[in-house]
Amino acid sequence: MQLGNSALVLAIALVSGQAFADPLQKSEDIVKFFAGESKLGASRGICVGSEDECKSKSETKEAPAKQAGLDMLVNFGLDSAELDATARAELDEFAKALKDSRLSSLSFVVEGYTDASGTVHYNEGLSQRRARSVTAFLTSSGVDAARIKAIGMGEKNPRSPDPYDPVNRRVEMRISTQ
């Protein structure tokens, strides 16, 4: 399955302190989002004409901007890879979505991240533990382990320009393009 370089991000912001609540994303919403995005690149057009002609044709046919990712909140404490009740509720909905037949052909990469607190070496290990924690929860919820792969990314690619911002402590799930 080839989806090109436009793999999707299911960003899970890891922020501490939120009380248990209903999941932000329902499994059906997640299924619809990823089922539609898995068809990226299915149709491509060729324009014959000058650059200006082709540009004007593509501008008139452009669809409304699509959401770049699907955000879910998962709470991890500082220096922790433990899932709290809110995180478990969110991931339970994600697990339900992954077990849906419309997503059964897709595989996912679970990428763990940290903020800049701690050494680079320590943060790589912590990010790996976070990714494994999410992966373990998903497999214990019935998702086939062969469909998900955990990777620790350390403090690379922060979501916030402030390297110490708690929003940088997260896990992102992408559709695997391999």
Side-chain angles (χ1 to χ4, degrees), residues 6-37:
S6 48
L8 298 177
V9 175
L10 174 60
I12 301 179
L14 304 174
V15 189
S16 60
Q18 183 177 10
F20 180 77
D22 286 336
L24 295 177
Q25 298 291 334
K26 299 292 186 191
S27 61
E28 182 62 22
D29 298 330
I30 296 167
V31 169
K32 288 178 182 176
F33 181 82
F34 282 113
E37 294 300 327

Side-chain angles (χ1 to χ4, degrees), residues 76-136:
F76 280 123
L78 179 63
D79 193 29
S80 174
E82 296 296 318
L83 299 171
D84 68 8
T86 302
R88 291 176 184 281
E90 293 296 329
L91 290 171
D92 188 52
E93 289 296 313
F94 190 70
K96 287 177 192 173
L98 288 183
K99 293 186 286 185
D100 188 284
S101 63
R102 294 170 285 178
L103 298 184
S104 63
S105 65
L106 300 178
S107 294
F108 290 81
V109 176
V110 179
E111 296 176 342
Y113 293 89
T114 66
D115 64 13
S117 301
T119 66
V120 171
H121 179 72
Y122 181 81
N123 286 341
E124 287 173 359
L126 178 59
S127 66
Q128 181 69 35
R129 289 190 302 277
R130 287 177 175 165
R132 285 184 188 150
S133 178
V134 169
T135 302

